[in-house]
Amino acid sequence: MSVLEAHGLTYHAQGKPLVTDASFRLEPGELTMLIGPNGSGKSTLLRLALGLLAPDVGEALIDGTNVRTLSPVARARKAAHLPQTRPLAWPMPVRDVIALGRFAYGAAPGRLAAEDSAAVARAIAACRLAGFEDRAADTLSGGELARVHLARALATEAPLLIADEPVAALDPRYQHEVAQLFAHAAHEGRGVLTVVHDLPLAARYADRLIWMKDGRIVANGTVEETMTAARLADVFGIAAKIERSESTLTLSVIGPA
Ligand SMILES: Nc1ncnc2c1ncn2[C@@H]1O[C@H](COP(=O)(O)OP(=O)(O)OP(=O)(O)O)[C@@H](O)[C@H]1O
């Protein structure tokens, strides 16, 4: 189990503040979803939290260690990262793309120890990719390829899973399956932080929502605590109807506010 903490992360590019004074804590056992409009700084915040960008101010810690001091291998053993853009260098078979998730353990395609092969097999099963293993990855549909990249991240079996829009290309059934997969990973003890744009999906599955607007975290709490029509209008500029029954909150987006 690992804990990710961000303290006052601030980052500028070309004189413009992209992220300002962002602090949060990602706990094991919690599915945290990061939401906010296009350009509000979500991807930049994830990259700062992972140490892929150097903050101007503040720091991100994994288990008390500044992420910028971790080697790429040490970081990969702590945190799996599914970036928003996922380039494929060449048309590798699906199994080999997923096996790249094991590089931090010394594995490479064609050189997998038994535990690497077992982790790859678990990721293939979790992402429902059985039957695709030998396909060249560049022949897959957009949604199939998205599941391969997710499987690569899952194959790391790192205690933290940080994903940027993992369900964007997926059909509704797979969106729910992936959200359930993330919830399951979290409730097994991982810390899971994922960007999503689908607000009803976030309302349904998130244990915690972090709301971003103009580079700042403007709310951080449970769905019940933070999901209000007023906040949706303020952060996203949308009118929405929220219905609360005993244990569920249902969100219907009506349109622009
Ligand atoms: N290197 C850079 N130089 C200048 N501006 C940048 C740079 N990187 C990002 N930005 C800008 O910073 C803002 C935040 O970008 P970011 O990718 O973090 O947003 P986001 O919330 O993830 O957006 P989306 O929902 O569209 O993916 C955007 O306006 C983007 O154009």
Side-chain angles (χ1 to χ4, degrees):
M1 294 203 185
S2 284
V3 174
L4 171 66
E5 292 168 89
H7 296 290
L9 291 171
T10 297
Y11 182 78
H12 295 77
Q14 297 176 1
K16 183 182 153 206
L18 307 191
V19 170
T20 305
D21 196 20
S23 300
F24 67 88
R25 188 178 159 89
L26 179 63
E27 298 275 359
E30 231 175 41
L31 173 53
T32 299
M33 292 191 174
L34 178 58
I35 59 177
N38 289 140
S40 56
K42 303 177 300 296
S43 298
T44 307
L45 178 58
L46 291 192
R47 291 167 62 75
L48 290 165
L50 282 161
L52 303 175
L53 284 176
D56 300 327
V57 180
E59 61 178 359
L61 309 174
I62 295 180
D63 297 333
T65 302
N66 186 321
V67 288
R68 294 286 296 168
T69 68
L70 293 171
S71 69
V73 164
R75 186 173 59 224
R77 288 186 181 198
K78 290 285 189 186
H81 179 213
L82 180 64
Q84 188 174 17
T85 52
R86 303 151 198 161
L88 261 184
W90 61 92
M92 293 164 90
V94 163
R95 185 187 290 102
D96 289 355
V97 176
I98 298 170
L100 293 174
R102 299 299 299 173
F103 89 93
Y105 302 91
R111 206 182 68 221
L112 299 184
E115 69 228 53
D116 300 316
S117 297
V120 168
R122 281 191 286 273
I124 287 171
C127 296
R128 292 187 183 270
L129 288 165
F132 286 95
E133 295 93 330
D134 298 317
R135 283 274 298 278
D138 64 344
T139 66
L140 300 177
S141 77
E144 290 161 356
L145 185 59
R147 276 155 46 218
V148 170
H149 285 296
L150 174 60
R152 179 181 53 73
L154 288 178
T156 67
E157 300 194 341
L160 298 169
L161 173 59
I162 314 290
D164 202 343
E165 296 192 31
V167 302
L170 302 183
D171 69 35
R173 184 195 164 100
Y174 278 122
Q175 290 197 359
H176 280 264
E177 284 200 1
V178 168
Q180 288 170 3
L181 193 73
F182 278 33
H184 181 69
H187 299 155
E188 273 190 327
R190 294 199 216 184
V192 184
L193 174 62
T194 180
V195 173
V196 292
H197 278 301
D198 186 320
L199 296 172
L201 198 78
R204 171 103 182 256
Y205 292 104
D207 298 310
R208 173 175 294 278
L209 290 177
I210 297 177
W211 298 65
M212 279 194 91
K213 181 186 176 189
D214 298 333
R216 291 180 182 272
I217 293 176
V218 293
N220 180 346
T222 63
V223 174
E224 187 58 39
E225 288 163 352
T226 63
M227 183 71 80
T228 62
R231 180 163 286 122
L232 288 161
D234 173 45
V235 173
F236 287 97
I238 54 171
K241 199 167 125 202
I242 292 176
E243 285 169 294
R244 288 177 159 81
S245 65
E246 265 174 32
S247 61
T248 53
L249 178 152
T250 310
L251 168 70
S252 319
V253 178
I254 297 162

